[in-house]
Amino acid sequence: MAEISGTAKLPPSGDKHEEASERLWVIFVTATMVLLIAVVVFTSVHYGFHPPSQVETIDSTSLHKGGEFSEANLGTVIAPDGSAVVRVVAQQYAFIPNCLVVPAGKPVTIRLASADVVHGFIVQGTNVNAMVVPGYVTTVRTTFQDPGEHLMPCHEFCGIGHQAMWAHVRVVEASRFPTDADKQKAVSCAS
Ligand SMILES: [Cu+2]
C-alpha cells in the first residue's frame, strides 16, 4: 500500500513558463483597466463629457399647464451675453419644437423634460448625448462651433413610433438672432 506523504507535490519545474504567462495576463488586465480609467478621466476633463446630473426634478404630468416647459417657453432664448438656453419637451413621438435653432460659437444650454416615458437624444456630430427621464430635467451644455444642420434622433426606445422621433438642430451665425428688444420670446426654426 502506498504511503500518503504529508508534503504536497510541487508542480514540475517546467511550470515556470505558466507562471510567466500568468504574470503577463495580470499585467495586461491591469494595464487595460488603467487605460480605461485614463480614457474616462481624459474625455471628462478634455472634452467635457459628463453624465447628466439629473438632480433637478419636475412634474412631468403637468408640463403643459404652465411653468418653464409651457408652450410659449419652448425654443431658444438668447441671454444678454449672447449665450442661448433651449427648452424642449420630449414626448411620444416628437420633440417640441422639432427644429432647434442655436447660435454658432456661443455657449448653449439645452434643457429637456419628458411628458411621458423615458426618451433620449443625441445631436449627431457633437458630444451631446443624454437621456430624458420623466420627473427630471436633463441639462446639457455645449458650444456649436460652426453653422450647419445636425440631426437629433431619440435614441431610447420609447414605443411603437420611436423610429419617427427626431428633430433638427440648426446652427446659425449668432448675429442672426433677434436683438435685445425681443430677446424674451423663445424662437425655433419656424419663427
Ligand atoms: Cu423617444
Side-chain angles (χ1 to χ4, degrees):
M1 198 190 217
E3 216 176 288
I4 298 170
S5 137
T7 53
K9 259 205 157 182
L10 287 171
S13 59
D15 285 47
K16 276 223 167 70
H17 172 73
E18 280 171 22
E19 214 180 289
S21 92
E22 238 172 65
R23 192 172 298 124
L24 268 180
W25 277 109
V26 169
I27 293 170
F28 175 73
V29 170
T30 308
T32 306
M33 288 193 303
V34 169
L35 177 71
L36 290 177
I37 292 167
V39 167
V40 170
V41 171
F42 177 75
T43 53
S44 72
V45 173
H46 189 261
Y47 293 115
F49 286 9
H50 300 295
S53 59
Q54 297 195 337
V55 288
E56 218 179 315
T57 57
I58 193 164
D59 179 7
S60 282
T61 60
S62 61
L63 295 181
H64 59 290
K65 290 182 183 160
E68 181 181 352
F69 289 92
S70 62
E71 201 177 342
N73 288 339
L74 300 181
T76 307
V77 175
I78 303 292
D81 65 359
S83 65
V85 178
V86 190
R87 292 186 177 85
V88 182
V89 166
Q91 66 178 42
Q92 289 166 319
Y93 298 99
F95 291 101
I96 306 165
N98 71 359
C99 182
L100 323 183
V101 60
V102 296
K106 301 281 185 187
V108 173
T109 302
I110 306 174
R111 288 172 62 77
L112 278 97
S114 166
D116 38 48
V117 299
V118 175
H119 298 278
F121 75 110
I122 182 168
V123 181
Q124 287 179 339
T126 72
N127 65 352
V128 176
N129 180 347
M131 284 171 74
V132 190
V133 180
Y136 296 90
V137 178
T138 297
T139 302
V140 176
R141 292 181 182 83
T142 190
T143 301
F144 298 92
Q145 293 303 343
D146 302 307
E149 191 102 8
H150 303 267
L151 270 183
M152 186 179 117
C154 174
H155 63 40
E156 198 68 48
F157 182 76
C158 55
I160 52 166
H162 165 70
Q163 80 285 351
M165 181 170 173
W166 46 271
H168 278 107
V169 176
R170 185 170 297 162
V171 186
V172 302
E173 298 290 352
S175 58
R176 286 180 51 192
F177 273 88
T179 48
D180 281 4
D182 45 0
K183 69 176 188 294
Q184 291 309 320
K185 195 177 171 296
V187 294
S188 62
C189 299
S191 313

